[in-house]
Structure formats: structure tokens, C-alpha cells
Amino acid sequence: MRRVVSAVAVFTCLAATGCGSPKTTTVNVAGSQRTLSLVITGPSGSLDAEVEQLKGAVASGGATATTLDGDQHAGASLCQTDVSDSTGTYHIAVYTDSTDVPASLCADMKSAVDKGTG
């Protein structure tokens, strides 16, 4: 799970340099014991490339990731967070079908991104 948090943090940090009109993409991440849906909305200029980087990071952690256009999440809402810098605001909503994923996941992601861009 920590690798997924780190991968999402890296993605969000990198995506914060993008530009363009808003776009929403769902990244479904499946590991051996749980599934997460990350619905990410941000500038379209760099979102697709950054999603591909996220998928690579997830794969290196032993999970799989698939992308879908728009909000096509699975599971119940877990948490949401926004990450902003001078180039835009990125909203991440996390959904899961697992009961053992901590609700602090979004705060952990935001903290990791803030440390990485500070």
C-alpha cells in the first residue's frame, strides 16, 4: 500500500506542472488484497503522460493499473484531496472495495506531495 501512496504522490507532484483545460481520468489500481480507484481531475495538457508514469510506478510495486476516461470509479468513497501549485489544481478522489484501507490515505498523499514540491 505504501508503494501505491508513493506512486500517487509522485504522479500528483509531476502532474502539477501540466496545463490545459480540466480532464478527469480514473486509474484503477489492483493489488493482491485490495483495489483502489483514483479519480484524478486536472489540466489536460499533461494528465495522460503522467497517468502512464503512475501506471509504471504501480507496476514496479507489484500491482496493476488500468485507466478509463472520466469518472468510472469502483467501490465506496474513501477520501479526497486537492493539490495545487502555480500551474493548477489537481483533485484526487479515492474509492475502494476494501475495508482495511486507512481513511488517512489522502492526507498521506498530500503530505508526500507537499514534501516533494516544497
Side-chain angles (χ1 to χ4, degrees), residues 73-79 94-98:
H73 68 269
S77 177
L78 178 67
C79 60
V94 181
Y95 301 85
T96 185
D97 61 357
S98 301

Side-chain angles (χ1 to χ4, degrees), residues 2-117:
R2 290 182 191 262
R3 288 184 182 182
V4 171
V5 171
S6 296
V8 171
V10 168
F11 161 75
T12 306
C13 178
L14 293 172
T17 63
C19 59
S21 59
K23 178 179 180 178
T24 299
T25 298
T26 299
V27 180
N28 289 320
V29 178
S32 62
Q33 299 177 6
R34 61 187 58 92
T35 301
L36 298 174
S37 284
L38 308 171
V39 178
I40 305 164
T41 301
S44 62
S46 63
L47 195 57
D48 291 340
E50 302 307 336
V51 165
E52 288 305 312
Q53 288 186 6
L54 170 63
K55 287 173 63 177
V58 167
S60 72
T64 60
T66 56
T67 57
L68 302 164
D69 288 335
D71 181 347
Q72 299 187 46
H73 68 269
S77 177
L78 178 67
C79 60
Q80 300 182 41
T81 191
D82 292 311
V83 177
S84 298
D85 74 357
S86 62
T87 63
T89 299
Y90 297 81
H91 182 77
I92 302 172
V94 181
Y95 301 85
T96 185
D97 61 357
S98 301
T99 58
D100 63 342
V101 178
S104 64
L105 178 65
C106 284
D108 295 342
M109 287 189 302
K110 185 165 179 57
S111 176
V113 170
D114 289 345
K115 288 178 184 175
T117 60

